[in-house]
Amino acid sequence: MADRVHPHDSPSPTVSQIDSSDAAVAPKPSLPPDGKPVPPPGTYVIKIPKDQIYRVPPPENARRFAKYTDKKSKRSYGGGGRRRCSFCCCFSWFIGVLFIIALLIGIAAGVLYLVFKPKSPHYSIDHIGIKAMNLTTAVISPEFNITVKADNPNDRIGIRYETDSSAEIFFKGVKLCDGALPAFYQPPKNITVFMTPLKGNGIKLKSEDEKALVDAQTKRQVPLNVKLVAPVKIKVGSVESWKITVKIDCDVTVDQLTVQSKILSKKCNYKLDLWLFKI
């Protein structure tokens, strides 16, 4: 009788054997037809057609977008408005300050005018003496002595005549001589008469000017123009003003060009240069 053969119990497979067999059997993941990897679980990809992508807000959000942009524009305009308002306020403030200063100066000037009641001084030419006037030559070097009367009618205002003055005598626009006025102080309610010498050196006369001067001498009516310029300061008490320029223009007619000449007629005008203002 044949011996029974009992098969040995086959050993149970180990974990490593199972894993290797499973790895060999497990299928590899396949790529989609388009070649793009499949996103891992939990990720959602939504595809939207291009014709539904809005570059402007959709109609249901148009009102909200318009409201937001309107607020933003108002804020920007409001800032510019504030800047413009600030500039206008500063300019108005500056104009107001200037107006107040001008008003105060005007009030002060009005008070001073009422207190001191200033009056304009008067000037005139009392005498003109001429010598060394040789009309036989075309080149002359005459000498003039003019006597000027300055009248200060003010009760409380003195006048100080400064240096750098000038005096000139013309015949029909041709300057015959020049010189300077003396510097002195004239108190209130005072009349000062002073004489100043004027000289001309090598004055060349044109033939027509020489002929006109000889004819005027012959007729004993020689028209002369005297121009005086004097810088002065007004003094009230111990206070003196800035320099004021007095300009005197006199038309004088004499009977002859000699030391004994007499004034036949005279007319004087004057004006004051008060800093930037002229009277």
Side-chain angles (χ1 to χ4, degrees):
M1 190 172 188
D3 296 333
R4 290 185 180 180
V5 179
H6 298 279
H8 298 285
D9 295 334
S10 60
S12 59
T14 61
V15 176
S16 60
Q17 293 176 347
I18 296 175
D19 293 339
S20 62
S21 63
D22 291 340
V25 178
K28 296 181 179 179
S30 60
L31 294 175
D34 56 359
K36 297 181 179 179
V38 178
T43 302
Y44 298 92
V45 178
I46 301 175
K47 294 184 178 181
I48 301 175
K50 291 183 178 181
D51 56 353
Q52 295 184 11
I53 297 176
Y54 295 98
R55 297 186 181 274
V56 296
E60 61 269 15
N61 294 334
R63 184 178 302 174
R64 183 181 301 173
F65 177 78
K67 185 177 180 181
Y68 172 75
T69 54
D70 185 59
K71 288 182 178 180
K72 186 176 179 180
S73 62
K74 285 183 178 179
R75 284 196 297 269
S76 62
Y77 291 151
R82 285 192 294 269
R83 287 193 292 270
R84 288 194 296 270
C85 180
S86 177
F87 173 77
C88 293
C89 292
C90 292
F91 183 74
S92 301
W93 179 84
F94 178 72
I95 295 297
V97 171
L98 289 181
F99 176 77
I100 292 175
I101 293 175
L103 182 62
L104 292 177
I105 293 175
I107 293 174
V111 171
L112 291 176
Y113 181 83
L114 293 177
V115 171
F116 297 103
K117 296 180 179 179
K119 299 177 182 178
S120 299
H122 303 287
Y123 301 96
S124 64
I125 305 297
D126 282 359
H127 182 262
I128 296 181
I130 305 131
K131 60 181 180 179
M133 179 69 78
N134 186 4
L135 298 180
T136 59
T137 62
V139 179
I140 59 176
S141 298
E143 297 180 5
F144 286 70
N145 287 323
I146 61 173
T147 302
V148 182
K149 181 173 73 174
D151 181 9
N152 180 15
N154 293 282
D155 295 330
R156 302 180 182 180
I157 299 176
I159 303 175
R160 185 179 300 279
Y161 291 84
E162 301 287 327
T163 56
D164 299 329
S165 61
S166 65
E168 299 171 322
I169 294 180
F170 296 83
F171 172 77
K172 293 186 179 297
V174 179
K175 186 169 71 172
L176 301 178
C177 58
D178 56 17
L181 303 176
F184 63 95
Y185 173 72
Q186 186 177 23
K189 299 293 291 183
N190 174 266
I191 296 176
T192 300
V193 179
F194 58 90
M195 185 179 65
T196 182
L198 308 178
K199 293 183 179 182
N201 185 18
I203 307 299
K204 295 182 179 181
L205 297 176
K206 295 180 180 180
S207 57
E208 57 268 23
D209 294 332
E210 182 182 0
K211 183 178 183 302
L213 192 58
V214 171
D215 292 343
Q217 169 79 357
T218 303
K219 296 178 182 179
R220 301 182 67 84
Q221 288 186 351
V222 182
L224 300 173
N225 178 244
V226 182
K227 294 182 181 294
L228 308 177
V229 177
V232 302
K233 289 184 178 180
I234 305 300
K235 185 177 181 181
V236 180
S238 59
V239 179
E240 289 187 353
S241 70
W242 58 88
K243 278 188 179 182
I244 300 172
T245 303
V246 179
K247 297 181 179 181
I248 306 167
D249 193 331
C250 294
D251 292 326
V252 182
T253 301
V254 296
D255 60 348
Q256 56 185 334
L257 299 174
T258 63
V259 177
Q260 293 81 20
S261 65
K262 295 181 180 179
I263 295 177
L264 301 178
S265 64
K266 57 184 178 181
K267 181 181 179 182
C268 293
N269 298 315
Y270 79 96
K271 63 180 180 179
L272 303 177
D273 288 353
L274 299 175
W275 193 16
L276 298 178
F277 305 97
K278 296 182 179 180
I279 297 179

